[in-house]
Amino acid sequence: MRIGLLTGGGDCPGLNGVIRSAVIQAVDVYADECVGFLDGWRGPLENDSIPLPVSAVRDILPVGGTILGTSRTNAGTPERVEQITANLRQAGVDALIPIGGEDTLGVAAKLAEAGVRCIGVPKTIDNDLSGTDVTFGFTTAVQIATDTVDRVLTTSASHHRAIVVEVMGRHAGWIALQTGLAGGACATLIPEVPFDVDEIAARVSALTAQRRPAVVVVAEGAVPTSLVEGEERILDEFGHVAIGGIAGWIAEQIAAKSGVETRTVVVGHAQRGGTPTAFDRVLTTRLGIAAVDALHRGESAVMVAVRGEDIQTVSLAEATGTLRTVPPELFHRLDALMAHT
Ligand code: F6P
């Protein structure tokens, strides 16, 4: 079998781990041949690929980023689906392993409908894909953000300041929630539950008055209850709003309402860079093997997924149908704990 791999959407620690194990499994176990399409869906759209022998992937497990490059090229239109189908036929590619989040796998679902054999692999630091317990890259992102919180906690206490740490998460607050819990933040603000800035300012005042650290973790997509709408926003090819900068607004509000001095840290793309955690290295290794095994069982239009201790397959339709966001009841239970930090 000739298998094409590609990585799409925002990069994520662990992409190389999937590429490595999939290639080794395909070539060494099944005597397949692998090619890597470059820069997400742009690769198959423009027939831009490189050979992927085992020698090209041997030492890449701990390396961040993706050796194939990535992009947010949207190939989901009927014309592009047709173009890719024709290009794959011409290149003699029998099946695709697209590694990506909701957008990348949404295109995979359309290609599968058009007859291209596809096994998706769930990637996103946001951990917001349905059908899987966890996505790779998430634990690495949480660890990086938690390291930042650990560092700013001490300087917050020394200076009796509040520090607002902004993490990624446009629609889902999983990174913020786990970082806030792991780091001992006094509040975590997530997109799923609008926040009351007066209440956050009151928590901060109480802590700084006790000479204790006051760190607030905010997801970039969090919204205040008093949201002002109508700003012009920049959209990417999938129509997502480019956001960020909420930490600055919250810090100003806290300072104005509590009189406490504030600072901000935007963890930003550092969450997506560098070496994956041991957990993500093991997970990506298992997912790459499982994707190739699924192809050889004759499966298609599915995504390999973590279910408890097992790796199973779920339909791409199920995986991309709805975003997996933080249930508000769960948030409120954990927020009550953070309020008593
Ligand atoms: O890939 C997911 C993500 O990291 C989101 O958490 C974040 O909002 C977005 O990508 C940032 O995108 P870009 O890299 O295009 O700035």
Side-chain angles (χ1 to χ4, degrees):
M1 198 183 295
R2 192 165 151 83
I3 303 173
L5 289 94
L6 65 90
T7 54
D11 70 347
C12 177
L15 286 165
N16 286 330
V18 179
I19 297 167
R20 170 181 172 271
S21 63
V23 169
I24 293 172
Q25 182 77 352
V27 174
D28 283 357
V29 177
Y30 294 105
D32 293 330
E33 191 188 342
C34 291
V35 295
F37 287 102
L38 300 180
D39 304 337
W41 290 116
R42 187 194 68 75
L45 203 52
E46 298 176 8
N47 232 341
D48 191 5
S49 68
I50 55 170
L52 276 183
V54 169
S55 60
V57 302
R58 275 205 199 287
D59 301 319
I60 63 174
L61 179 59
V63 181
T66 160
I67 60 164
L68 298 179
T70 187
S71 74
R72 295 193 189 275
T73 304
N74 185 354
T77 63
E79 302 73 40
R80 288 184 169 191
V81 166
E82 204 176 304
Q83 181 68 56
I84 289 178
T85 309
N87 287 352
L88 293 177
R89 205 177 303 120
Q90 192 200 337
V93 171
D94 305 298
L96 274 185
I97 299 183
I99 309 162
E102 184 213 2
D103 296 329
T104 305
L105 299 186
V107 174
K110 290 181 183 167
L111 279 166
E113 256 174 49
V116 176
R117 292 188 60 200
C118 281
I119 306 287
V121 181
K123 164 248 58 156
T124 164
I125 63 162
D126 297 333
N127 201 30
D128 58 1
L129 263 180
S130 293
T132 185
D133 296 352
V134 69
T135 56
F136 73 82
F138 172 64
T139 65
T140 303
V142 169
Q143 189 60 57
I144 293 165
T146 302
D147 290 346
T148 303
V149 172
D150 286 347
R151 288 179 187 280
V152 299
L153 268 174
T154 55
T155 175
S156 159
S158 309
H159 288 267
H160 322 299
R161 287 172 176 160
I163 302 192
V164 183
V165 178
E166 181 178 312
V167 298
M168 283 186 169
R170 287 185 279 207
H171 307 292
W174 294 110
I175 297 177
L177 188 58
Q178 292 222 357
T179 301
L181 285 171
C186 68
T188 294
L189 314 176
I190 63 171
E192 294 88 339
V193 181
F195 63 88
D196 176 357
V197 79
D198 288 304
E199 202 212 317
I200 306 305
R203 287 190 201 181
V204 161
S205 283
L207 286 168
T208 50
Q210 297 166 50
R211 304 174 68 81
R212 296 189 49 219
V215 173
V216 175
V217 176
V218 57
E220 60 187 335
V223 281
T225 42
S226 58
L227 174 71
V228 185
E229 288 188 339
E231 292 165 59
E232 273 195 22
R233 298 284 177 97
I234 301 165
L235 303 181
D236 70 16
E237 277 204 40
F238 283 91
H240 297 309
V241 173
I243 48 180
I246 183 79
W249 183 85
I250 294 169
E252 275 172 25
Q253 293 289 314
I254 291 175
K257 288 172 188 290
S258 66
V260 173
E261 202 182 348
T262 56
R263 293 289 186 271
T264 58
V265 177
V266 177
V267 188
H269 289 79
Q271 286 157 101
R272 294 217 314 242
T275 191
T277 55
F279 177 90
D280 277 332
R281 294 183 204 186
V282 173
L283 176 59
T284 53
T285 301
R286 294 179 70 202
L287 289 170
I289 292 170
V292 174
D293 286 347
L295 270 181
H296 281 275
R297 282 195 304 271
E299 292 194 56
S300 181
V302 295
M303 175 185 90
V304 286
V306 181
R307 294 283 174 101
E309 294 296 308
D310 298 330
I311 306 280
Q312 301 175 1
T313 50
V314 298
S315 77
L316 282 172
E318 179 188 344
T320 58
T322 47
L323 271 195
R324 196 172 72 87
T325 51
V326 177
E329 323 77 71
L330 173 68
F331 171 77
H332 288 302
R333 248 186 296 140
L334 299 173
D335 179 56
L337 181 100
M338 285 185 262
H340 290 99
T341 291

